[in-house]
Amino acid sequence: MSHQYSLQKCGIRFDPPALFVTYTDKSAGKTRCRTMPIRNFTKTSTVARFVEDFRKNPRHKKYLEDVPKSQLEKLLRLLQDNLRGMSLDQSLNEIRKEYSIDPNEDLNKVDEETLRKKKTAMEDSFEKNRKKPGDADFEYEVERDFQPVETCEWDSADSGSDADF
């Protein structure tokens, strides 16, 4: 949101389909709720296209600029799954699986859309855990020595030097 508005929360309504944003208008000091109807959205619609359309719409742009793209995608997926007849719990579990990171999963073998979702989840996790200047526990230039967990022959001191090549 612009400097005039402070985002409080964002949500979805199933019937009639609408996206809503609760924000504080700093100039008036009031909390307001903006409801944005979702028109022509079906169970086969492309969620990413609708997110882009919402974010580019001049009427909604200033209210949605601080809402993460991934959050809007998840909300519209909830609506789409509801239109398909899926329960809210089933839909939430499926979305959690799509946007979760499994360290054993080979991301080289997934399709582009899945890879985009996984990268978004990694980026969100990074931003959530990132320490920024001004944070209470921020330290500039942290140096740590790590102890090897297992030994490898190629990097041991007695295996010779690079000059042997």
Side-chain angles (χ1 to χ4, degrees), residues 125-143:
S125 175
F126 173 77
E127 287 299 324
K128 186 171 80 174
N129 296 317
R130 181 175 161 195
K131 307 257 191 265
K132 300 175 208 138
D135 289 349
D137 53 352
F138 175 77
E139 292 180 46
Y140 186 77
E141 230 180 288
V142 176
E143 292 184 23

Side-chain angles (χ1 to χ4, degrees), residues 159-165:
S159 66
S161 66
D162 289 342
D164 292 343
F165 286 105

Side-chain angles (χ1 to χ4, degrees), residues 3 5 9 33 45 48 52-53 56 59 65 72 127 138:
H3 298 290
Y5 304 113
K9 59 184 172 180
C33 185
S45 296
E52 288 305 316
D53 290 348
K56 289 179 182 176
R59 295 185 72 200
E65 63 187 12
L72 290 174
E127 287 299 324
F138 175 77

Side-chain angles (χ1 to χ4, degrees), residues 82-152:
N82 179 269
L83 292 172
R84 291 177 179 153
M86 194 180 288
S87 74
L88 184 60
D89 288 334
Q90 287 175 320
S91 182
L92 286 171
N93 287 334
E94 191 173 301
I95 291 169
R96 271 190 209 107
K97 273 196 279 186
E98 284 180 22
Y99 284 90
S100 65
I101 308 299
D102 179 9
N104 297 322
E105 183 178 15
D106 187 0
L107 296 178
N108 291 317
K109 297 179 181 177
V110 298
D111 61 285
E112 290 293 319
E113 182 64 20
T114 304
L115 181 62
R116 187 187 62 74
K117 289 177 184 177
K118 300 292 182 177
K119 283 183 175 182
T120 300
M122 286 187 269
E123 186 176 321
D124 291 346
S125 175
F126 173 77
E127 287 299 324
K128 186 171 80 174
N129 296 317
R130 181 175 161 195
K131 307 257 191 265
K132 300 175 208 138
D135 289 349
D137 53 352
F138 175 77
E139 292 180 46
Y140 186 77
E141 230 180 288
V142 176
E143 292 184 23
R144 295 212 170 95
D145 290 328
F146 293 95
Q147 300 301 321
V149 177
E150 56 188 53
T151 59
C152 295

